[in-house]
Amino acid sequence: MLRWTLAKILQTAAVLLIVSAASFSLLKLAPGDPVELMLGDDYSKESHQTLMVQLGLDRPLPEQYVDWLGRFVRGDWGTSFVSRTPIFQYAFVEALPVTLTLSAAALGLALLIGVPLGVLSAVRKDSAWDAAAAAFSLTGSAFPSFYLGILLIWIFGVAFGLFPTMGFVAPWQDFWGGAYHLVLPAITLSTPFMALIVRITRANLVEVLEQPYIAAARARGEPAWRITWVHGMRNVLMPLATIVGLQLGALLHGAVLTETVFSLPGVGRMITDAVLNREYMVVQAGVMMTGCLVIFTNLAVDLSYPLLDPRLRPR
Amino acid sequence: MAIDHKQILATTLAARLGRRRLLQGAAATAAAGLPAVARSADGGHIKLAWIDFVDTLDPHFTSYLGAIKIHNNIYNGLLKVEYDGEKVSFVPDLAESWTLLDDKTHLFKLRKGVKFHDGEICDAEAVKWSVERVWRGTPKSPHAWKYDYLESVEVVDPLTVKLNFKNPYAFLPVALTGSTGRAGTIVPRNAVEKYGKDFGRNPVGTGPFKFVSWKENDSIVLEKNPDYFEPGLPKLERATYLIMKEASSAVAAMLAGRVDAMGNSPLQFISQLKANPNLTVYSDIEGNYSLMAMNCRRAPFDDMNVRRAVGFAIDREALIKQAFFGIGIPAYTPISPPMTGFFDKNIAKSGRGQFFDLEKAKAFRAKAKTQGTIEAVILTSEQGQYGTRVAQTIVPMLDKIGIKARLELVERAAWISRRNAGEFDMLDMTWSADLDPDETIFPEWHSGNAWNFSGWSSPEFDKLVEQAQVVLDVKTRRDLYVKAEDILMDEAPMAILTHMPEFKILSKKVKGFKYIPVDSLDLHTVSL
């Protein structure tokens, strides 16, 4: 078990290294020059050269990479040359909690509504409930999140004035204020995900409910809720955990759009801005953070399999 | 001759000064007469949705209008811009008076007892240091060129400072304003030296508001400066600039009443904002022009007749309808409506400049070296107010004079890089300028200047615009600019397109806002 876990962690580390190298080199190969962007209208050949040297961008790529990686691991993420603030502070201390809060709220909402809805449509297969849930999940997954976000803003923010349309209030400082501000963004971000969860839950549960052991449980006279939630759902947890792990990347990229639409100062907005401004260091920090998030979640999912399914426990 | 110029400037100034003093006196008496209760009704917290990019709050190092609109609430210049509904004028701000000893020597008497937000005294020494920071400081300020003719800065006494120039310098009033000029914005030495490069993130000024915080991608917060030198101002307690990337979200917040003002808005939302009874939308045409630049360094646009043909082939009215949502006016030459004394209100009938005349365009096209179809690429980018719409609308217009234009859409960084390197046939862009023609013409089109992306050069034009910098008399200057513009528009390194409004959107709850047709959103007199 220990060896298996260690091997998984080593694999993860290797993937991280590849991610870091790729994110580092891809942006450098893209056309456009950060120095010219920074100089704006004050561009001249001399000022360009001076700034290049100042920023260390005149050195060979591998040297820049090794230098950056070494300092990154030590928590020295450099200073943003646009905002003049330490990137670690900006990315990790300020932006990451926003994205994590938003993603957690969306994930929670998706599970809280998606799972019961999926169960309902599996148990009442081919009923009106089932059809409604299917329609919802189809619409939900077809809606682009930026469009849904703007739609929600116009309906609930402008027309009815029920919810705030922008800004972030930290729930750990003001829980209700934070939750109130998160309502629309969390719905926006969770909708496609919720739709997916409904479908996965339904499909798997329908299959499970046809298994002989469920029939046996029914024959034993166990109550219906126990059959569904205890015997049935136990075997749906595996595919659900897999989907959560796999879809976390999609959730984070949805966060980019959601954060932009709702003006939340999260990682998604940070990365988009930084890409447009060619702020290499900030993009790298952002990609590394989200990369780590996805990779570690998948590691956690991998490690959870043996807990969820005894057959997968290594001997 | 020189005496004349000085007198003209001095009389205009004196007239404006007199009136302003009077108004100020009246305001002061009124404030003093009010009971304490009434005054405590002031205050309030204004929230502004900010969709423009803010690079730095160091006024000497910015080149973004979104930042400049904030600067003006933190800093003061030696001079400031006033607007009476028709004319713009330049009046002393940190200075108490501004006198021209002769046409090259400017004497400023400063206000007594003005302090920076950190307690440092704003006296003649501070002004001298600040001017020198722009003039020849390191790193070099992008506004340093505004002091190219400066010879020395002298401290006469603690409250008097003298600027000696090598020759008369007509652009100076604009350069010295706190709002658009930036070269005369006064910053404190101690704070600049303390924060170094980070001063732009920790700004300290003399203005009505003190800096509180700047949270990346979230907000910039200012609070009332209780020691501000203009009596009774500011009225607000706090101002928060909410940094929003997505303009439709900002508009939604504005319509829902969750913010009180917007510093700008994309064109497509203007009619919706104007239709809302709770909002006031300021949309005067300002000092700017949009243009289609043509690369004079290489074929096909090294041929002047091809360029001239393009200049007359573009239907500006149709362009405004299709690409600008009907907002803006056709431009004939670069000088814009707010440049009082220089802009010709009858320019449309004067026959000067460029305008839509397909026959004329075809005649020029017939004289071109290359007949038959010419292929050209328009380099464009999804940026600013117009995105790719201008380029898209112009393509079929060029088709009519036998130019097959193809769009090449690149993202902003690549666009800038290729523009600076001169790797394009055509590209569309805009220039925003101050209230003086110099900045709208000289840096953009003078030979060899870094902003002259078309690579155009005309010694005769250069001579005229150089001369116009050192003449003070408005009429003489205007004649020089007319000649210069005629050369520029005739040789056509660009097709000039439109002058556009700048937008300021305020909720009706906002009281006391003084509109000025420059890129500022001053909160000095505002209350909620």
Side-chain angles (χ1 to χ4, degrees), chain A residues 41-42 83 261 273 277-278, chain B residues 142 201 245 249 411-412 451:
Chain A
D41 292 339
D42 314 315
S83 73
V261 169
D273 274 13
N277 290 324
R278 290 286 185 280
Chain B
R201 287 269 157 172
K245 257 278 125 67
S249 309
E411 47 113 26
R412 189 165 69 112
W451 296 0

Side-chain angles (χ1 to χ4, degrees), chain B residues 59-207:
Chain B
H60 297 160
F61 286 90
T62 186
S63 31
Y64 287 88
L65 300 176
I68 292 160
K69 287 179 193 166
I70 301 177
H71 292 167
N72 235 24
N73 295 305
I74 305 175
Y75 301 99
N76 294 96
L78 277 175
L79 306 179
K80 67 176 176 181
V81 186
E82 288 238 314
Y83 182 58
D84 62 4
E86 259 178 49
K87 277 187 169 178
V88 288
S89 53
F90 303 96
V91 299
D93 189 10
L94 273 179
E96 204 166 60
S97 73
W98 167 33
T99 345
L100 282 104
L101 298 182
D102 58 59
D103 58 6
K104 287 183 271 186
T105 317
H106 298 253
L107 190 77
F108 294 92
K109 280 238 174 263
L110 302 177
R111 286 169 189 263
K112 218 197 274 178
V114 175
K115 278 186 187 158
F116 290 102
H117 301 149
D118 63 352
E120 197 181 329
I121 307 287
C122 180
D123 57 7
E125 279 296 338
V127 170
K128 177 173 194 266
W129 186 83
S130 206
V131 168
E132 283 178 344
R133 180 179 187 235
V134 180
W135 179 26
R136 50 187 179 190
T138 35
K140 195 176 168 204
S141 160
H143 305 292
W145 63 271
K146 291 171 182 168
Y147 287 137
D148 272 355
Y149 295 128
L150 188 62
E151 202 168 57
S152 66
V153 191
E154 258 176 74
V155 173
V156 179
D157 64 55
L159 286 177
T160 314
V161 71
K162 201 156 81 176
L163 301 187
N164 300 309
F165 284 82
K166 289 176 207 146
N167 40 22
Y169 182 34
F171 183 64
L172 187 69
V174 178
L176 289 184
T177 55
S179 56
T180 60
R182 276 94 68 196
T185 310
I186 305 305
V187 298
R189 178 178 192 163
N190 284 344
V192 171
E193 282 172 356
K194 177 173 153 202
Y195 291 113
K197 273 186 172 176
D198 295 336
F199 179 71
R201 287 269 157 172
N202 300 278
V204 177
T206 51

Side-chain angles (χ1 to χ4, degrees), chain A residues 118-222:
Chain A
V119 169
L120 188 71
S121 56
V123 174
R124 308 254 168 99
K125 200 159 84 98
D126 301 327
S127 69
W129 280 107
D130 188 17
F136 163 77
S137 78
L138 202 65
T139 322
S141 45
F143 244 99
S145 62
F146 59 90
Y147 185 61
L148 182 65
I150 291 174
L151 210 65
L152 289 176
I153 287 182
W154 280 96
I155 297 172
F156 294 103
V158 180
F160 294 113
L162 290 176
F163 292 103
T165 53
M166 65 194 184
F168 180 76
V169 175
W172 50 94
Q173 282 163 4
D174 170 5
F175 183 80
W176 292 113
Y180 184 47
H181 276 81
L182 269 176
V183 173
L184 295 185
I187 293 177
T188 306
L189 185 55
S190 71
T191 302
F193 198 45
M194 197 187 290
L196 190 67
I197 287 179
V198 172
R199 287 213 311 274
I200 296 288
T201 311
R202 182 190 179 275
N204 283 285
L205 193 59
V206 163
E207 210 175 296
V208 169
L209 289 179
E210 283 164 5
Q211 297 292 316
Y213 80 92
I214 296 285
R218 285 209 178 100
R220 281 201 302 276
E222 287 199 39

Side-chain angles (χ1 to χ4, degrees), chain B residues 219-267:
Chain B
S219 62
I220 294 173
V221 181
L222 310 180
E223 69 177 10
K224 179 179 188 157
N225 169 15
D227 306 320
Y228 187 55
F229 61 77
E230 288 189 273
L233 302 182
K235 301 197 164 160
L236 293 166
E237 280 301 322
R238 224 172 163 75
T240 301
Y241 297 85
L242 297 158
I243 300 166
M244 303 179 87
K245 257 278 125 67
E246 178 52 42
S248 56
S249 309
V251 170
M254 193 75 220
L255 292 175
R258 295 195 181 271
V259 293
D260 309 303
M262 274 175 88
N264 195 2
S265 161
L267 301 171

Side-chain angles (χ1 to χ4, degrees), chain A residues 22-267:
Chain A
S23 76
F24 186 86
S25 46
L26 270 183
L27 206 64
K28 297 262 173 179
L29 298 175
D33 175 345
V35 179
E36 282 186 54
L37 269 180
M38 286 170 67
L39 288 170
D41 292 339
D42 314 315
Y43 173 83
S44 74
K45 287 231 162 59
E46 304 81 67
S47 56
H48 187 262
Q49 191 50 38
T50 326
L51 205 56
M52 283 288 273
V53 175
Q54 255 178 35
L55 297 170
L57 294 173
D58 57 331
R59 293 178 300 161
L61 266 192
E63 194 186 318
Q64 289 185 44
Y65 172 66
V66 171
D67 182 51
W68 165 75
L69 193 66
R71 282 190 289 124
F72 187 87
V73 175
R74 276 176 275 134
D76 172 11
W77 294 9
T79 306
S80 152
F81 46 67
V82 172
S83 73
R84 314 266 345 131
T85 43
I87 295 172
F88 184 78
Q89 169 73 19
Y90 168 24
F92 195 79
V93 181
E94 286 170 15
L96 188 63
V98 175
T99 303
L100 285 182
T101 313
L102 174 66
S103 306
L107 188 63
L109 202 64
L111 289 172
L112 218 62
I113 299 176
V115 171
L117 216 58
V119 169
L120 188 71
S121 56
V123 174
R124 308 254 168 99
K125 200 159 84 98
D126 301 327
S127 69
W129 280 107
D130 188 17
F136 163 77
S137 78
L138 202 65
T139 322
S141 45
F143 244 99
S145 62
F146 59 90
Y147 185 61
L148 182 65
I150 291 174
L151 210 65
L152 289 176
I153 287 182
W154 280 96
I155 297 172
F156 294 103
V158 180
F160 294 113
L162 290 176
F163 292 103
T165 53
M166 65 194 184
F168 180 76
V169 175
W172 50 94
Q173 282 163 4
D174 170 5
F175 183 80
W176 292 113
Y180 184 47
H181 276 81
L182 269 176
V183 173
L184 295 185
I187 293 177
T188 306
L189 185 55
S190 71
T191 302
F193 198 45
M194 197 187 290
L196 190 67
I197 287 179
V198 172
R199 287 213 311 274
I200 296 288
T201 311
R202 182 190 179 275
N204 283 285
L205 193 59
V206 163
E207 210 175 296
V208 169
L209 289 179
E210 283 164 5
Q211 297 292 316
Y213 80 92
I214 296 285
R218 285 209 178 100
R220 281 201 302 276
E222 287 199 39
W225 66 266
R226 226 184 114 79
I227 292 171
T228 315
W229 288 100
V230 178
H231 298 299
M233 279 311 281
R234 201 173 163 137
N235 278 316
V236 180
L237 282 181
M238 271 267 302
L240 265 186
T242 311
I243 276 297
V244 168
L246 284 180
Q247 287 295 311
L248 194 80
L251 198 68
L252 287 172
H253 107 230
V256 173
L257 297 170
T258 313
E259 283 168 8
T260 307
V261 169
F262 289 96
S263 305
L264 304 173
V267 177

